[in-house]
Amino acid sequence: MINVSHNISSTSPSKSSFDLKSIMAHEMGHVVGLDDETKLKYGDSVMYESLSTNEIRYNLSKDDENGYHAISW
Ligand SMILES: [Zn+2]
């Protein structure tokens, strides 16, 4: 479920809107078992705990890849 009380863009985010693809990439990370990344040094991680408006972050970082490979299937 997406909280539509926030301004979300499915095309390109702006100073006042969030990027839908970045949100969905993050939420899909939770679906496969990844937790939020809270360390600032991993701020480029899809799984970083916050996303700013006008920010695009859906390409997996090394931290995301390491987390994925650490999951026991
Ligand atoms: Zn999260």
Side-chain angles (χ1 to χ4, degrees):
M1 184 182 313
I2 297 172
N3 183 345
V4 294
S5 66
H6 297 290
N7 188 6
I8 298 172
S9 173
S10 61
T11 52
S12 61
S14 69
K15 282 194 275 186
S16 62
S17 65
F18 295 93
D19 181 51
L20 178 61
K21 282 194 272 186
S22 298
I23 293 168
M24 293 310 296
H26 178 93
E27 298 308 329
M28 290 308 293
H30 286 309
V31 169
V32 299
L34 296 175
D35 291 330
D36 284 329
E37 177 54 68
T38 58
K39 294 180 186 142
L40 261 182
K41 69 178 181 175
Y42 298 122
D44 63 339
S45 168
V46 168
M47 294 313 296
Y48 186 60
E49 64 183 349
S50 73
L51 179 73
S52 300
T53 54
N54 205 25
E55 183 176 14
I56 293 175
R57 194 172 357 105
Y58 53 77
N59 293 314
L60 297 181
S61 69
K62 193 67 184 165
D63 181 55
D64 296 311
E65 292 177 8
N66 289 343
Y68 179 79
H69 291 296
I71 295 172
S72 16
W73 297 93

